[in-house]
Amino acid sequence: DGGAIARFSDAGEPHGTAGMPALNVLKMAGATDLCVVVTRYFGGILLGAGGLVRAYQQATKAGLSASEIIEKKEGAVLFIRTDYTGIGRLQYLFAQEKITVMDTAYEADVLVKAVIPENDKKRIEKTIIEQTNGTAKLEWGDEVTFAEYDGEVLLFKN
């Protein structure tokens, strides 16, 4: 967003042998919104400055390759209350549109809590109304930044 913050520390290592090499790996990978911590248990003066740089670069690369990248999206929480005949249509719609459902409560009616991407809000609202013949009650909640990971919704503070 243009307000990027990047910080690093050599944390007791010789100047320029730890933090900056790790940060350069992250920049080259285009990775953002993360923190890398490398703990070194062996090497001392045996590695030399070049060996330290390579060690911190390799550790950072290994951390990145072992990580999963998630995409953060802007959106809003939508509460949908529908009867039991409408839920099947909504579940089909959610699957087709890849809408993230956070929770579903089956009571006298069905209450669904979903996260809708910012660019899709008006279109999804219109489609839900059409699919339920206008019987679903919609209420917009908080604006959120969210991501999906391993079938779960991750919400980030705005």
Side-chain angles (χ1 to χ4, degrees), residues 1-20:
D1 292 358
I5 298 172
R7 294 210 165 88
F8 64 91
S9 170
D10 290 321
E13 298 287 21
H15 178 70
T17 61
M20 184 53 85

Side-chain angles (χ1 to χ4, degrees), residues 1-124:
D1 292 358
I5 298 172
R7 294 210 165 88
F8 64 91
S9 170
D10 290 321
E13 298 287 21
H15 178 70
T17 61
M20 184 53 85
L23 181 60
N24 285 337
V25 168
L26 300 176
K27 286 181 178 180
M28 299 258 302
T32 61
D33 299 321
L34 61 99
C35 174
V36 172
V37 177
V38 177
T39 303
R40 185 174 61 81
Y41 292 102
F42 174 77
I45 59 171
L46 298 176
L47 287 177
L52 284 173
V53 168
R54 284 188 297 279
Y56 281 97
Q57 287 173 332
Q58 289 172 355
T60 304
K61 286 178 186 175
L64 276 177
S65 67
S67 300
E68 289 189 43
I69 306 298
I70 60 171
E71 181 185 346
K72 291 168 48 173
K73 306 172 192 171
E74 299 299 319
V77 174
L78 177 60
F79 297 95
I80 308 155
R81 184 172 298 279
T82 187
D83 56 25
Y84 281 84
T85 59
I87 192 62
R89 292 181 190 145
L90 291 180
Q91 288 170 333
Y92 179 78
L93 171 67
F94 298 154
Q96 292 296 103
E97 295 285 343
K98 295 182 174 77
I99 292 174
T100 304
V101 176
M102 297 176 62
D103 192 24
T104 304
Y106 296 91
E107 300 165 350
D109 287 334
V110 182
L111 179 62
V112 178
K113 181 180 179 183
V115 181
I116 310 299
E118 186 64 36
N119 297 339
D120 297 332
K121 284 171 53 176
K122 289 191 185 301
R123 184 179 59 79
I124 294 298

